[in-house]
Amino acid sequence: MSDAPWWRGAVTYQIYPRSFLDTDGNGVGDLPGIIERLDYVASLGVDAIWIAPFFKSPMADFGYDIADYRDVDPLFGTLADFDRLLAKAHDIGLKVMIDQVLSHTSIEHHWFKESRESRDNPKADWYVWADAKDDGSAPNNWLSLFGGSAWQWEPRRGQYYLHNFLISQPDLNFHHPEVRAAILDSVRFWLDKGVDGVRLDAINFCFHDRELRDNPPKPKEKRVGRGFSPDNPYAFQYHYYNNTRPENLGFLAELRTLMDRYRDVAALGEISSEDSLATMAEYTRHGRLHMGYSFELLTDDFSAAHIRGTVQALEAQMTEGWPCWAISNHDVERVLTRWGKGRSSTQLANLLTAMVCSLRGSVCVYQGEELGLTEAEVPYESLQDPYGIAFWPQFKGRDGCRTPMPWSDDQAHAGFSHGMPWLPVPQEHRALAVTRQEADPHSVLNGFRTFMHWRQSQPALRWGDIEFIDTVEPVLAFTRRFDGQTTLVVFNLADAAVDVRLPAMLGVPHRLDGHGLLQGHFDGDELQLPGYGVWFASVK
């Protein structure tokens, strides 16, 4: 399938710049640090990198509050640094995706500064403004994901403005055609530079209900968090009116029209809605996004039933689009802690990578997954995340998955910085440093590399259809079929050995080797899987 677009079946490595590598000693990672480690990333066998926001920002939400869409924040470097990064990545065969945060800006963006000054200036309607109720209270009951009302009073205008996230992140008014045009022009700026794709943050939040209708309450038994805790008041509502509005589909079509003017680029949308799988299917239909991903595998549920049910539910609805899967990112507890529940091991770490990379779709892996990093315990006095500070101690925020990458076990701050890091480097991460793992042929890192390079030679795993096989816990089994090739994939998600009877209709499986994982044994009747064992086989 050499004519497939690069992103289809690709593995993209997410880089959180603040925590990747600091080259100037200010304790925060930067673009030159990414450049310095691009050869390392390429050695992992991944296809692309996704770089979290590095744009000019007051950093209230660490870059997801953008003050200038077209410039690099001095904390991270310069536009010239980005150009060098892009050129080097392309030279060594890596595609580059960048974050685009389109639904909201920082209060420091010049658009908002102008908009808030009066009700009749040229940008007066570029943000979501509304009058107070007669009693002075907020226009409706919409809540912010970060706690409290989604409305903030602005005395200059004598009105409230909408913020679905932090108070310092006002929402743009996408009903205004000039706003949509300006946003698309900002995306065009980076496409013209030569980026290979954009990851669209909170893409279903662009439009709001024009009538500002109240969100209905959600029964307690249905308060399930996806990217937020069930005890967050945000979970107490159905968010029918402050996000995932039907008008968003028209904007996605406009965005796709823009992207179709460029050769072989991709749009990946982050989607968190009342029914994220249905929204993923809807948003990736023809003429919209190339890919979508949700928080459905970023949950605490590590069961074969949950994984199988999630993928099957999406497959039933996604008749046109292409999924992208992730089991870790910069917003959730690291997967080895979340799913390992204190039983982290090299075998489990590599099993998790193989499992997500064997599902139908593309994959995003988060920096540190290849090292088997666990969630860091960050003391309250060291917290940086406003989300964690607001909800402590029930929710400790996102700092635990954002601590610096450990590059070396014999340097200060694990080789991340020669200054004081913005977050502490956990002592337990030093033992998992890159230099130590590269010297160990049985390390998580070398297991990750082995599997990724092996996967590149398996067309069925990259592009094939998927069909699940009925199994009992803790076994997850399915086939991937492509171009006459059928690959049988079986995972034991537990640390105890299990025996599995395969359906006779599969015929005689022939074991596939070279992936580096704990391999099961098939005796002609039953498949015997060790704890965290796998079985890859070709089926005729």
Side-chain angles (χ1 to χ4, degrees):
M1 197 173 176
S2 58
D3 59 343
W6 71 264
W7 48 268
R8 199 173 180 91
V11 177
T12 298
Y13 183 85
Q14 182 196 351
I15 294 176
Y16 192 68
R18 296 183 68 88
S19 300
F20 199 59
L21 181 67
D22 170 28
T23 62
D24 59 12
N26 66 358
V28 175
D30 44 47
L31 296 183
I34 297 174
I35 296 170
E36 190 172 318
R37 292 288 189 253
L38 278 178
D39 288 324
Y40 163 82
V41 176
S43 78
L44 299 175
V46 299
D47 303 285
I49 58 172
W50 146 33
I51 310 173
F54 51 83
F55 315 105
K56 194 169 184 181
S57 166
M59 301 295 163
D61 192 23
F62 303 110
Y64 283 90
D65 50 323
I66 295 175
D68 188 337
Y69 283 104
R70 303 188 187 199
D71 202 3
V72 174
D73 195 277
L75 192 66
F76 298 123
T78 65
L79 274 173
D81 290 328
F82 180 79
D83 291 338
R84 289 194 300 116
L85 188 161
L86 189 62
K88 179 171 181 180
H90 287 166
D91 283 347
I92 62 177
L94 287 172
K95 302 293 187 180
V96 178
M97 299 188 77
I98 62 170
D99 244 314
Q100 293 286 272
V101 187
L102 306 185
S103 71
H104 56 269
T105 71
S106 164
I107 56 174
E108 297 301 319
H109 198 293
H110 69 90
W111 296 345
F112 184 75
K113 289 181 177 180
E114 183 175 349
S115 184
R116 72 184 177 188
E117 286 304 316
S118 68
R119 300 190 187 191
D120 57 3
N121 67 75
K123 290 186 173 55
D125 297 327
W126 277 42
Y127 290 81
V128 183
W129 296 98
D131 292 331
K133 290 182 178 179
D134 290 342
D135 63 0
S137 60
N140 60 28
N141 72 345
W142 297 353
L143 295 173
S144 162
L145 188 70
F146 287 1
S149 172
W151 296 95
Q152 177 66 19
W153 180 253
E154 172 48 67
R156 295 171 181 83
R157 288 182 55 132
Q159 286 183 305
Y160 284 93
Y161 67 83
L162 176 67
H163 62 92
N164 276 298
F165 300 95
L166 292 175
I167 290 172
S168 57
Q169 292 172 300
D171 275 64
L172 286 160
N173 177 18
F174 271 72
H175 291 288
H176 198 310
E178 290 181 10
V179 170
R180 299 196 302 275
I183 283 295
L184 291 173
D185 203 44
S186 295
V187 175
R188 182 183 296 109
F189 173 84
W190 295 101
L191 292 172
D192 285 344
K193 275 194 170 292
V195 300
D196 304 286
V198 290
R199 180 266 187 185
L200 303 164
D201 184 71
I203 190 58
N204 56 305
F205 279 78
C206 291
F207 281 83
H208 67 286
D209 176 46
R210 283 183 183 272
E211 299 176 36
L212 303 182
R213 286 171 285 187
D214 280 352
N215 282 326
K218 182 179 289 188
K220 188 173 183 179
E221 65 274 10
K222 294 187 177 181
R223 294 172 188 173
V224 178
R226 291 290 188 267
F228 53 90
S229 172
D231 61 1
N232 182 338
Y234 191 81
F236 293 20
Q237 295 180 352
Y238 288 104
H239 294 276
Y240 294 151
Y241 297 117
N242 64 311
N243 64 56
T244 324
R245 302 298 301 156
E247 299 93 333
N248 212 31
L249 298 176
F251 173 68
L252 296 182
E254 293 180 69
L255 176 63
R256 181 59 179 263
T257 298
L258 168 64
M259 300 198 70
D260 283 348
R261 297 173 189 158
Y262 297 81
R263 183 175 177 273
D264 211 15
V265 298
L268 167 63
E270 177 204 37
I271 296 161
S272 177
S273 67
E274 292 298 335
D275 186 344
S276 294
L277 297 178
T279 305
M280 281 176 66
E282 183 179 43
Y283 278 26
T284 56
R285 286 179 185 155
H286 180 72
R288 298 171 187 169
L289 302 179
H290 300 82
M291 297 179 286
Y293 91 91
S294 71
F295 284 73
E296 298 305 310
L297 292 185
L298 297 170
T299 61
D300 291 338
D301 191 348
F302 179 46
S303 65
H306 173 67
I307 296 167
R308 180 171 57 245
T310 298
V311 178
Q312 285 180 320
L314 182 62
E315 287 288 312
Q317 300 175 81
M318 187 176 273
T319 56
E320 300 177 47
W322 187 252
C324 185
W325 298 106
I327 55 176
S328 282
N329 69 17
H330 63 289
D331 282 333
V332 297
E333 187 177 44
R334 284 197 175 271
V335 69
L336 261 190
T337 299
R338 198 175 73 247
W339 281 356
K341 301 188 185 307
R343 300 187 303 276
S344 61
S345 67
T346 299
Q347 292 75 24
L348 176 58
N350 289 145
L351 174 92
L352 295 177
T353 294
M355 184 276 295
V356 72
C357 290
S358 297
L359 300 176
R360 189 184 86 96
S362 301
V363 181
C364 287
V365 298
Y366 179 46
Q367 68 184 44
E369 278 186 67
E370 78 278 15
L371 302 178
L373 297 188
T374 52
E375 185 80 355
E377 283 290 334
V378 180
Y380 180 79
E381 59 271 17
S382 297
L383 286 184
Q384 301 291 328
D385 182 15
Y387 199 0
I389 293 170
F391 284 90
W392 180 276
Q394 283 76 16
F395 174 63
K396 298 181 180 180
R398 301 164 295 180
D399 289 329
C401 66
R402 296 177 175 183
T403 53
M405 275 283 286
W407 295 103
S408 173
D409 61 341
D410 61 359
Q411 290 181 290
H413 310 303
F416 166 73
S417 174
H418 57 268
M420 182 59 67
W422 75 288
L423 282 173
V425 178
Q427 185 61 35
E428 62 270 21
H429 285 187
R430 296 180 68 90
L432 300 171
V434 171
T435 52
R436 178 175 289 194
Q437 293 207 37
E438 287 191 320
D440 177 5
H442 305 294
S443 66
V444 176
L445 173 58
N446 283 315
F448 184 98
R449 284 174 169 151
T450 298
F451 180 81
M452 287 298 179
H453 287 289
W454 178 78
R455 180 183 180 272
Q456 290 178 346
S457 67
Q458 303 297 315
L461 294 186
R462 299 182 68 185
W463 305 303
D465 295 333
I466 191 168
E467 183 176 351
F468 284 88
I469 299 167
D470 287 336
T471 53
V472 298
E473 297 292 342
V475 176
L476 179 70
F478 49 88
T479 57
R480 300 291 308 277
R481 289 186 171 90
F482 176 77
D483 196 24
Q485 174 190 343
T486 299
T487 300
L488 171 64
V489 185
V490 188
F491 295 104
N492 177 6
L493 304 184
D495 57 0
V498 296
D499 293 336
V500 185
R501 188 172 295 275
L502 298 174
M505 59 179 288
L506 288 174
V508 180
H510 297 276
R511 190 174 78 175
L512 295 173
D513 294 315
H515 47 71
L517 297 158
L518 283 175
Q519 184 78 290
H521 173 70
F522 185 63
D523 65 5
D525 185 33
E526 280 190 330
L527 174 60
Q528 299 162 351
L529 288 174
Y532 301 137
V534 307
W535 178 255
F536 286 95
S538 63
V539 180
K540 301 298 184 182

